[in-house]
Structure formats: C-alpha cells, structure tokens
Amino acid sequence: VWSLPLVLDFRRFPLWDSIFAMLLFIVNLGMQAMFSSILLSDDFADAGVQVEEERENARRWRVSIAHDWRYMDLSETSLVTRVCQSDGALILSTPQAELIDQINSFLGLGPGDFEPGFLQPGIFLCSICILHWGLCVYKEFRSVWLALEAVIMIPRASQSTIIENR
C-alpha cells in the first residue's frame, strides 16, 4: 500500500481503481497513526500491572498474614506454603495464588520447582514475538527502500523515444 502513491499514474487507470488505491492508503495511514498513538499514550502504559505496586502488596501479604499461625491448616502448614504449592482448597489469598500460578506458568515452573529450566515458555514466547516484529519492520523498510529505488530509476524526460523496440 505504501508504494501505491509513488507508482500509481492517476491519468492512465480508471477512476474507481485510483479512488480505491488512495482509500487503502488513507485507511492504512490512519490505522498506523491510531496504533502508534495508542502505544505512545500514557493511558496504555498505566493500564498494565504496576510491578512495584504488586511487589509491595506481595511483601505486605508475606509479612502480615502469610506466616501467621492463625491461617495454618490442621496439618500446621502455613498459608504461604499452601499458596506456593498451589493448594486447590484455599479460601484465603486466592489473588496471591493466582499471581503465583501466572508467574510459574510464565517461567515454566511446577508446584515444587524453585529454579526455572532452560526453556521458559513466557520468555521464549516474548523473544519469538519480538523477533517476528523485528523481521516485519525490516520487511517493511526493505519494501519502502526498493520502491523508492525503483522510483529513482525511472527515466525522466519530457518525451519518450523508442530505440530498437526497447
């Protein structure tokens, strides 16, 4: 779509084709602008999980009730141990248990694991997404460069001359 305005000769194509090509160009430009404005807005950055706030909440939970004897079960297992072992019978601290499950899923940890293995699914997926995005950006820049190169190579003259059927 980006190369259409460069190579489209509006006088030689039907009006409908020219209108449709320019409409595609304008829609693509608008979508790129909206996507960029959303990513660069403060609301987008603030909509995510605040890591420092979550860390402070987890620390306060751990210091206050996680090791409190009042929240032990009948086998004298602390609440923090039950949360870390993904005890399905938890009534209290389910947000903390969900957070631990999400972190363990991201790192590829089982309920009893303390160190992530070589292949961590979340980090691997993020790396693949960043690599794919980088290749897409490279492809777009290459396409724009080749289109500009082609436009630069177009001969410019007030008249065309045909020499030996060329």
Side-chain angles (χ1 to χ4, degrees):
V1 170
W2 293 110
S3 59
L4 280 176
L6 296 175
V7 296
L8 194 60
D9 185 5
F10 294 106
R11 294 168 293 169
R12 296 183 59 205
F13 291 104
L15 180 64
W16 175 250
D17 289 342
S18 300
I19 291 173
F20 186 69
M22 288 311 295
L23 181 67
L24 279 177
F25 177 74
I26 292 169
V27 167
N28 194 344
L29 187 65
M31 287 176 55
Q32 295 287 340
M34 286 189 318
F35 183 72
S36 297
S37 68
I38 289 170
L39 285 180
L40 297 174
S41 70
D42 291 334
D43 293 335
F44 183 77
D46 293 338
V49 175
Q50 300 296 325
V51 176
E52 291 300 321
E53 183 180 329
E54 288 294 326
R55 184 180 299 150
E56 179 59 27
N57 290 341
R59 189 194 67 73
R60 278 188 288 126
W61 171 79
R62 186 172 168 256
V63 170
S64 61
I65 67 167
H67 293 289
D68 194 342
W69 63 272
R70 291 177 289 186
Y71 300 105
M72 289 185 173
D73 64 358
L74 295 176
S75 63
E76 295 185 1
T77 306
S78 68
L79 182 59
V80 72
T81 303
R82 292 172 54 205
V83 166
C84 289
Q85 291 177 347
S86 299
D87 186 356
L90 282 176
I91 295 174
L92 299 171
S93 300
T94 51
Q96 286 79 11
E98 289 175 9
L99 181 63
I100 292 291
D101 287 341
Q102 290 172 358
I103 292 170
N104 287 343
S105 295
F106 184 82
L107 295 175
L109 293 173
D113 296 338
F114 289 110
E115 284 196 33
F118 177 73
L119 181 64
Q120 301 169 14
I123 294 173
F124 181 71
L125 182 63
C126 288
S127 301
I128 293 294
C129 289
I130 291 170
L131 176 67
H132 181 68
W133 177 79
L135 290 173
C136 287
V137 168
Y138 169 75
K139 182 182 128 193
E140 285 293 320
F141 279 132
R142 180 162 166 74
S143 173
V144 168
W145 176 254
L146 290 175
L148 287 174
E149 211 172 43
V151 168
I152 290 170
M153 299 304 283
I154 294 174
R156 290 173 196 82
S158 59
Q159 297 178 351
S160 297
T161 55
I162 299 175
I163 302 172
E164 296 178 14
N165 294 331
R166 289 189 201 172

